[in-house]
Amino acid sequence: MIMVDFVHHPLPAFLVDHDLNIKEQSELATELFSKPASFLDCVDSESKQKAIDLLKNKDEIELVLNTVDSPYMLFKVFARWTDNGEGQILCVRQDSQIMELSSMLQMQRDRLAETNFDLLDKKEELENAMNKIKKLSSPFLPISSNLCVIPLFGSLDEELFLINEQQLLSTLQTGSYEHVILDFNGIGEIEETGVFAFQSFYQMIQLVGVNPILSGLKPRHVFRLMENDFNVDQTFHITGSLKDAISKYILSSNERHR
Amino acid sequence: MPVDIKQLTDLLLEGNEDKAWELIETESELFDSSHLAFEVLTHAMQLVGKLWEENEITVADEHLATTTCDYVLSRYAYAKKKWKQPSNGKRALFLCIDQEQHYLGLKMISLLFEEYGWDTRLLGANLPLEYAVDTASKWQPLVVGISVAILYNADQLSKYVTELGNLSNQPEVLVGGRLASMYDLSKYCSTNTVLVPDLKEIKLWLEEQKGDGRDHG
Ligand code: B12
């Protein structure tokens, strides 16, 4: 085997026998560990078993070692064994940089976690705000004791009905309305899912005993409704503008009640 | 255990915080009981320690597992904010002694106290005694919780216990952490120090305090 100058070894190094008793050690090793009799003397109590089990079988393991300055310092320990049972052990200090890095990582992580959670909060707020907007998108306007208007705004999608349907239906049910005008004047896009939701809303209005009338439909709305198998002509009372609808149905109900 | 600890440990080691969180969140037993959730995370971190002893991982991996576990804890506390009991006006201060970096357990305990309605301050790892004394005398907590994990830090413990216990408002000092679960630390403590070996004990203690509050109005 190559003879190694242990004393001047550039690392803390030990030459040990089969039982880890120290035969020689480098100056740097003395500086760090003083002069232990066995390598195990400088191994932390809770690294000892690992040292005993693995120093012989692994080229490289991490161990916590007692140094002159600190009772617990992390080292990467390299071991090479010769056929006659002698071993060279080299120790490379690990901790300080890792520790610094880790605390930086930690701080960053803490900050990130906070912002992440803040974002989650914001998302909830946003959803609440969206719900409010949707709610406002279909106010309920009583015109007379038997006529009311629901002006729809925004895009006609499933949500518009999911959010407003219950409220509107119960208002309709408790009132004594004969007609409700569903005004499309404020509607931009009509989504496919919105058509189905709308159809079911329409049917439920009928179920609570009120006649729905559509107003303010633009040609593209009509096309879009028909495209999705919405039966526009049969049961629906379609009038022109909202104004026309109101005057027509106020008149008609007034006439009847006279 | 309601989850596979090995699986959780692997996720922590991978730094897979979303999956690790999902594992806890979707297990209703864990989501309902913080004690159980923290116990599971404690076991996972202990398994991390075992893997290091077997040379399967390095301390660098432990760091990643630690931050991931920390994230899961924060996320857990955040998700359960709504179920927190209303403030009982009691204050508890938590710290690790000087040179002690093992703060995960302390964080769990602090979160538990919060859940029980305590106002808490988590001063965290590595807190020199003078800072601890300073904060405690200004904030006047009813309880000071101290955590120790490393054997060599036990010597310092008695100084902390004495000085903090002797503050004018005489806070109750609780001592926990890995060492408290392994050794009898009473020789480092005073007669009224409460030594807490594990989560079950702290749960009992918290329940007892709750009873106290009710009895005395
Ligand atoms: C993860 C870990 C780390 C992480 C830190 C994690 C953290 N921030 O908490 C990092 C990588 C930073 C680390 C660093 C070090 N570690 Co380390 N670490 C571990 C490991 C693997 C797990 C610890 C853990 O997180 N457990 C889970 C927590 C939740 O459990 P717990 O703290 O016991 O808490 C529970 C209870 O005790 C209780 N509790 C805790 N505190 C309190 C307080 C109160 C008031 C109450 C009531 C209850 C209570 O609540 C918890 C609920 O379950 C252990 C191995 C092991 N077997 O424990 C080694 C271990 C503790 N580390 C060790 C060492 C030596 C170190 C280092 C010095 C060297 C190194 N390995 O790099 C450094 C430096 C640390 C320092 N100066 O303090 C040794 C200690 C040996 C000894 N002789 O004491 C161990 C045993 C590993 C080993 N075999 O060598 N470590």
Side-chain angles (χ1 to χ4, degrees):
Chain A
M1 117 187 224
I2 314 150
M3 283 305 292
V4 183
D5 176 6
F6 256 90
V7 180
H8 298 108
H9 201 288
L11 283 173
F14 297 97
L15 184 67
V16 296
D17 71 12
H18 181 76
D19 300 317
L20 298 174
N21 296 311
I22 293 171
K23 296 165 75 171
E24 261 186 79
Q25 67 183 65
S26 71
E27 273 171 357
L28 281 176
T30 313
E31 229 170 76
L32 259 179
F33 302 106
S34 179
K35 291 226 169 220
S38 157
F39 180 71
L40 288 180
D41 292 347
C42 45
V43 178
D44 176 61
S45 58
E46 290 185 69
S47 283
K48 229 162 230 166
Q49 201 54 48
K50 182 175 181 179
I52 294 169
D53 293 345
L54 300 179
L55 265 178
K56 295 267 168 59
N57 323 321
K58 297 270 193 277
D59 295 339
E60 171 184 332
I61 62 177
E62 277 182 342
L63 292 176
V64 177
L65 304 180
N66 307 304
T67 67
V68 174
D69 293 329
S70 162
Y72 44 84
M73 211 166 255
L74 184 66
F75 283 85
K76 194 164 264 178
V77 177
F78 300 83
R80 299 280 178 279
W81 300 91
T82 59
D83 292 340
N84 62 6
E86 255 183 4
Q88 299 172 22
I89 295 178
L90 306 183
C91 308
V92 180
R93 230 184 105 167
Q94 289 293 298
D95 42 358
S96 57
Q97 302 123 312
I98 286 188
M99 288 302 154
E100 270 163 41
L101 252 177
S102 87
S103 59
M104 275 165 51
L105 201 90
Q106 185 61 51
M107 273 158 41
Q108 211 119 2
R109 177 56 55 89
D110 285 350
R111 232 172 289 138
L112 265 181
E114 261 161 41
T115 27
N116 270 347
F117 297 145
D118 283 352
L119 277 179
L120 282 180
D121 258 350
K122 282 274 162 344
K123 187 168 156 256
E124 253 166 50
E125 267 170 36
L126 210 68
E127 274 166 8
N128 285 340
M130 290 288 279
N131 278 348
K132 263 191 210 131
I133 292 170
K134 285 281 179 198
K135 263 217 171 100
L136 292 177
S137 306
S138 55
F140 179 85
L141 306 175
I143 304 289
S144 70
S145 61
N146 41 31
L147 178 65
C148 59
V149 176
I150 298 176
L152 302 165
F153 289 103
S155 62
L156 188 86
D157 55 18
E158 207 171 17
E159 258 141 64
L160 187 63
F161 293 100
L162 275 181
I163 293 164
N164 296 295
E165 196 172 66
Q166 286 311 320
Q167 177 76 36
L168 288 176
L169 284 173
S170 81
T171 313
L172 282 177
Q173 195 161 24
T174 46
S176 57
Y177 302 103
E178 261 175 60
H179 298 290
V180 53
I181 301 173
L182 305 170
D183 184 47
F184 273 68
N185 204 30
I187 288 290
E189 290 307 306
I190 296 184
E191 308 276 334
E192 195 175 319
T193 53
V195 178
F196 302 133
F198 180 60
Q199 178 133 47
S200 105
F201 182 55
Y202 176 85
Q203 282 161 356
M204 279 196 271
I205 293 177
Q206 287 181 314
L207 276 179
V208 300
V210 184
N211 295 316
I213 299 130
L214 304 187
S215 73
L217 277 171
K218 296 179 187 77
R220 66 188 157 92
H221 291 152
V222 179
F223 281 129
R224 189 82 175 120
L225 291 175
M226 291 197 316
E227 240 170 52
N228 289 290
D229 294 334
F230 202 90
N231 198 350
V232 181
D233 42 61
Q234 294 278 312
T235 46
F236 281 78
H237 305 259
I238 303 177
T239 67
S241 69
L242 178 60
K243 196 168 143 247
D244 297 342
I246 293 177
S247 38
K248 177 172 174 199
Y249 284 94
I250 279 195
L251 266 183
S252 78
S253 55
N254 281 354
E255 272 162 14
R256 240 177 302 136
H257 284 94
R258 215 157 335 156
Chain B
M1 281 296 140
V3 291
D4 182 352
I5 299 290
K6 177 78 176 90
Q7 189 191 355
L8 179 58
T9 305
D10 287 344
L11 291 172
L12 294 181
L13 283 166
E14 282 167 24
N16 196 337
E17 48 194 32
D18 290 334
K19 279 267 151 52
W21 162 243
E22 218 177 278
L23 202 64
I24 304 275
E25 186 202 17
T26 52
E27 195 58 58
S28 63
E29 232 182 311
L30 293 184
F31 194 78
D32 294 343
S33 159
S34 309
H35 289 88
L36 215 53
F38 294 168
E39 200 170 299
V40 162
L41 286 166
T42 301
H43 285 305
M45 288 308 293
Q46 286 164 345
L47 182 53
V48 167
K50 189 162 170 284
L51 292 172
W52 181 82
E53 284 173 26
E54 291 165 355
N55 211 37
E56 296 294 324
I57 59 166
T58 67
V59 170
D61 299 315
E62 286 185 4
H63 280 287
L64 185 56
T66 300
T67 40
T68 313
C69 180
D70 192 6
Y71 173 89
V72 173
L73 279 178
S74 300
R75 185 99 196 245
Y76 189 87
Y78 185 86
K80 291 192 71 167
K81 227 167 40 180
K82 290 184 205 122
W83 286 277
K84 204 163 101 174
Q85 286 173 21
S87 166
N88 62 15
K90 298 181 190 172
R91 291 173 170 178
L93 185 71
F94 295 97
L95 56 105
C96 293
I97 63 184
D98 206 7
Q99 303 300 321
E100 181 65 70
Q101 304 277 6
H102 299 86
Y103 68 89
L104 279 179
L106 190 75
K107 179 163 179 170
M108 291 177 187
I109 302 297
S110 156
L111 291 176
L112 271 186
F113 269 69
E114 262 177 38
E115 214 172 283
Y116 274 77
W118 291 65
D119 291 336
T120 67
R121 275 202 197 167
L122 180 61
L123 298 181
N126 190 10
L127 198 77
L129 181 54
E130 62 261 36
Y131 290 113
V133 168
D134 191 45
T135 310
S137 51
K138 282 188 191 133
W139 196 52
Q140 305 253 317
L142 207 61
V143 163
V144 177
I146 305 176
S147 188
V148 261
I150 298 188
L151 198 53
Y152 308 94
N153 288 338
D155 284 338
Q156 286 201 66
L157 183 59
S158 53
K159 271 195 299 174
Y160 277 74
V161 169
T162 329
E163 287 214 25
L164 290 167
N166 287 344
L167 287 173
S168 60
N169 71 319
Q170 304 221 312
E172 184 155 15
V173 178
L174 303 189
V175 173
R178 197 182 73 98
L179 283 193
S181 57
M182 291 173 67
Y183 303 100
D184 176 11
L185 296 178
S186 50
K187 70 167 172 169
Y188 302 101
C189 296
S190 70
T191 44
N192 25 14
T193 310
V194 185
L195 282 164
V196 187
D198 57 28
L199 278 168
K200 282 191 195 74
E201 287 298 315
I202 198 64
K203 180 176 184 178
L204 287 178
W205 189 91
L206 280 166
E207 291 290 341
E208 227 171 70
Q209 298 291 312
K210 219 162 72 178
D212 265 13
R214 227 183 4 247
D215 292 342
H216 307 305

